[in-house]
Every structure is written in C-alpha cells, then in structure tokens.
Amino acid sequence: FLAGHNVIGETFETCAPWNKVTEVIATAKEAAKKYHAELGLPGEWQSFISSRVTQMYQSGVCIYFTFGYYHGGMDGATHGFESIYFNLKKAVVAAGGSVSHHHGIGKLRKPFIEDGTLWDEQAIAAVKAFKASIDPENVFAVQNNFMGLKADK
C-alpha cells in the first residue's frame, strides 16, 4: 500500500544494555533526520522512525525500530533507502547498540563484518576454521556473512 504512495520503509532490531537504551533510541532518531536531509529527500516531516522495546533482560533490552520515508517517486529511492538504513545501523552501534538482536548478521549486515565494525581478521579466521570443521563442503550459510563462496581449503 505505502509503496504506491512513494513511501519506503523497514523494521530493524538491536539490543542495548539498560544504560544505553535512551541514547540508542535518540541517536537513531537524530540519524534518520540527518541522513534524510543529506540525501535531499522531499517531505516536510523528514523521515519517520519509531521505537519500541519488545524484550527485556537483566542486562538490557531488544529495541525494534520502524523506519520509513516519503521519496516522492525519485530515481534511486531503494538505493537511498539502503544507504540510510546502513547508516542508521552504524549510528545505533556507535551509540552502544548491537548490529542485531536475534536476526543475526546474514546478507544485509555483512558490511559490518567487511568494514571491521564487528570482527577483526583473527576473529574471522577463527570462525572460518570452526565452520570448516563442521561444514567442510560449505553447505550452510551460503552467501551469508563472510562464508559466501567456497570454504577456504
């Protein structure tokens, strides 16, 4: 329905310790406005972002964000959205949130591994070695994370 009205959106989740919840939410909201403006997107109301806490633990919470914006039918709206989405996730991580709560890294969050946000080369080598020991034919996690092609032999 919304796509027919030039609105694009998505949800994403993170987890954060109790002492970072307010900062993570505020940072995400500020980042949504910032990156909307940087792309020169139309709309007086900027982008829409809301948050809700869906799970609570002793150590912190899972926060779900709903993010979207009106693009007015501009060319490259999907590319712009992906850019904002990635930058929102980067801002959340910088504010003390995680890259994901329960959806894992997968294809969408692979750049967080590639740019060194999550793991350094030693950590990647350790995970690759473990995976090779339990999945030598690289059947599982095809094109997810850094496991995408053939297992290193």
Side-chain angles (χ1 to χ4, degrees):
F1 171 79
L2 290 176
H5 296 281
N6 297 318
V7 174
I8 189 169
E10 181 64 274
T11 61
F12 64 95
E13 43 47 89
T14 187
C15 59
W18 285 105
N19 67 340
K20 295 289 186 177
V21 173
T22 302
E23 181 180 351
V24 166
I25 291 171
T27 298
K29 291 180 178 186
E30 287 300 316
K33 290 179 185 175
K34 174 185 174 186
Y35 295 115
H36 186 277
E38 281 184 8
L39 286 178
L41 296 167
E44 291 179 28
W45 52 274
Q46 300 289 321
S47 55
F48 170 83
I49 186 165
S50 67
S51 59
R52 67 189 186 282
V53 171
T54 60
Q55 296 161 20
M56 295 184 285
Y57 309 97
Q58 254 187 319
S59 59
V61 301
C62 173
I63 307 166
Y64 255 88
F65 291 95
T66 300
F67 168 70
Y69 68 81
Y70 171 75
H71 58 77
M74 66 181 274
D75 290 336
T78 301
H79 178 70
F81 179 81
E82 290 171 353
S83 172
I84 292 175
Y85 174 85
F86 183 73
N87 284 314
L88 281 174
K89 292 294 289 181
K90 292 285 277 189
V92 163
V93 170
S98 65
V99 171
S100 180
H101 174 259
H102 57 274
H103 288 184
I105 304 303
K107 296 170 183 73
L108 290 178
R109 297 172 192 93
K110 184 177 177 180
F112 288 94
I113 295 171
E114 295 169 339
D115 74 0
T117 299
L118 291 178
W119 298 328
D120 61 18
E121 299 220 4
Q122 291 172 332
I124 291 171
V127 172
K128 281 184 174 182
F130 174 73
K131 182 166 183 310
S133 74
I134 62 171
D135 182 20
E137 299 302 316
N138 199 28
V139 174
F140 301 105
V142 175
Q143 296 190 358
N144 281 329
N145 302 325
F146 46 81
M147 309 292 187
L149 303 173
K150 300 260 182 200
D152 294 334
K153 300 280 180 183

